[in-house]
Amino acid sequence: MAQKPKVDPHVGRLGYLQALVTEFQETESQDAKEQVLANLANFAYDPNNYQYLRQLQVLDLFLDSLSEENETLVEFAIGPHLPSSGVLFCNLSPLRGTLQDERT
């Protein structure tokens, strides 16, 4: 079983997400990568996190994970983009403004 991510919860939301991204990029453990990507995917469901996720380029991290051989990473990378989770691609995309702005 993977350990909890090594992140100080007192660093604020942006700092916490940055620490998750850094851990994902630096760890060699597939279990840790899965856990961290799952955590980031969970944060992606909350619209309050979109600005932080966009700033940290988490969308790129999700897209890069689609080419992994680890099927669990691919699943976690796809999860936040499914219709039931809202329109994350639209909200995180640097091309934002097309769909999102038309709907509001």
Side-chain angles (χ1 to χ4, degrees):
M1 174 128 190
Q3 295 179 351
K4 283 191 159 192
K6 299 169 182 119
V7 177
D8 180 358
H10 304 291
V11 295
R13 190 174 297 211
L14 178 60
Y16 186 82
L17 291 169
Q18 176 64 69
L20 287 174
V21 169
T22 301
E23 183 173 353
F24 181 85
Q25 293 169 334
E26 292 179 355
T27 188
E28 298 294 322
S29 165
Q30 287 298 307
D31 286 341
K33 278 187 178 279
E34 289 173 7
Q35 185 171 356
V36 171
L37 196 63
N39 286 335
L40 289 168
N42 285 334
F43 275 101
Y45 287 100
D46 182 350
N48 294 319
N49 295 320
Y50 290 168
Q51 66 181 351
Y52 304 122
L53 297 173
R54 192 175 312 115
Q55 181 179 345
L56 297 171
Q57 300 177 329
V58 172
L59 178 60
D60 291 336
L61 190 141
F62 286 139
L63 292 174
D64 290 344
S65 295
L66 293 176
S67 63
E68 292 283 339
E69 290 186 23
N70 180 329
E71 291 180 16
T72 303
L73 288 178
V74 173
E75 277 183 45
F76 291 148
I78 291 173
H81 313 298
L82 298 177
S84 64
S85 67
V87 189
L88 179 64
F89 272 129
C90 185
N91 288 317
L92 290 181
S93 172
L95 302 175
R96 184 173 180 245
T98 53
L99 261 170
Q100 178 69 19
D101 290 344
E102 290 174 13
R103 292 185 349 193
T104 55

